[in-house]
Amino acid sequence: LVVRTMGRLSEYLNLNYEAKQTPLWLVGARHEVLRPIQLVDRPDFGAQARGKLLPDRVALILALCTIQNEGEEVLVAYLADTRTPEWVSGWGQIAGPGPTAPPALAGQPLRGTWEVGGRYRVRGAPVLRDSVELEGSPVCTLGEEDQEVLVLELGLVIVEGEPRLRGRVRTDSGAIGWVAIELPGSG
C-alpha cells in the first residue's frame, strides 16, 4: 500500500474543474454522494443488488463505463464507501441519461483522491507484479524506507467479491509493475 507525497495533478484538476464547472469522473477519485445510489454486481440494469450508497457519504471510483439505457448513454462506475473495513461496493449509475439528469456524485474530487501521475510513499512491503491480477508474476518487493512510486495507471480487480484498487507504478530504480493501492480493511 502507498500514501500520497505529491499532488500537482490535483491542483490542475481543481483549477480545471473551477474553470469548466463540469464533473471530473476519474478512477481513483473520491466524491461526495449527493443522492442515493443503488449498487449492483454488474454494470447493467438487470444486475443483482449489492447495497446502497446514501447522501453525505464519500464514494471512491474504482472503474468507469458507459452503457445504453433505452437508447441513451448512462455513465456507471464501480463505487465503494471505504469508511469501514467491510466496504459497501458495486456498480452504480452516476450520470445520465441525458445531459440534464442530476449527477449522483458531487463534481469536485475530494481529499484522498488517487491520481495517475501522482507520487506516493510505500507503506509496508508490497509485492510489485507484472499484471493487474493478483496472480501475476512478482517483479520485486517494495519496502525500502521512504521509497516512492509514480502511478502510471489505475485498475480494478475483484477477488472473491471484494474490490481492490491496483496501480501500475514505476519505482525510482525503474521497475514497473502493479501493486495494491487500496483494498477493504487497509484504511
Side-chain angles (χ1 to χ4, degrees), residues 58-151:
V58 174
L60 172 63
I61 298 176
L62 298 162
L64 291 161
C65 72
T66 303
I67 62 173
Q68 293 290 319
N69 180 27
E70 299 177 5
E72 292 197 62
E73 284 192 349
V74 174
L75 182 62
V76 295
Y78 196 96
L79 303 168
D81 178 349
T82 61
R83 66 185 158 76
T84 63
E86 294 81 31
W87 290 0
V88 175
S89 63
W91 291 95
Q93 180 177 334
I94 61 171
T100 60
L105 302 175
Q108 176 107 16
L110 300 173
R111 288 186 66 140
T113 289
W114 297 99
E115 302 170 355
V116 170
R119 290 189 61 85
Y120 300 88
R121 185 171 296 125
V122 174
R123 287 193 312 191
V127 175
L128 197 65
R129 299 194 178 271
D130 68 352
S131 68
V132 70
E133 290 83 22
L134 298 178
E135 299 80 25
S137 298
V139 173
C140 65
T141 299
L142 304 177
E144 295 175 20
E145 191 171 323
D146 294 329
Q147 183 173 7
E148 291 186 357
V149 294
L150 173 68
V151 175

Side-chain angles (χ1 to χ4, degrees), residues 48-61:
Q48 181 178 348
R50 289 182 50 107
K52 187 177 267 191
L53 291 179
L54 300 174
D56 298 324
R57 302 283 190 205
V58 174
L60 172 63
I61 298 176

Side-chain angles (χ1 to χ4, degrees), residues 148-169:
E148 291 186 357
V149 294
L150 173 68
V151 175
L152 305 172
E153 181 179 354
L154 293 168
L156 169 65
V157 172
I158 300 174
V159 177
E160 297 177 8
E162 287 195 339
R164 287 163 165 71
L165 182 61
R166 306 265 297 159
R168 185 169 167 261
V169 301

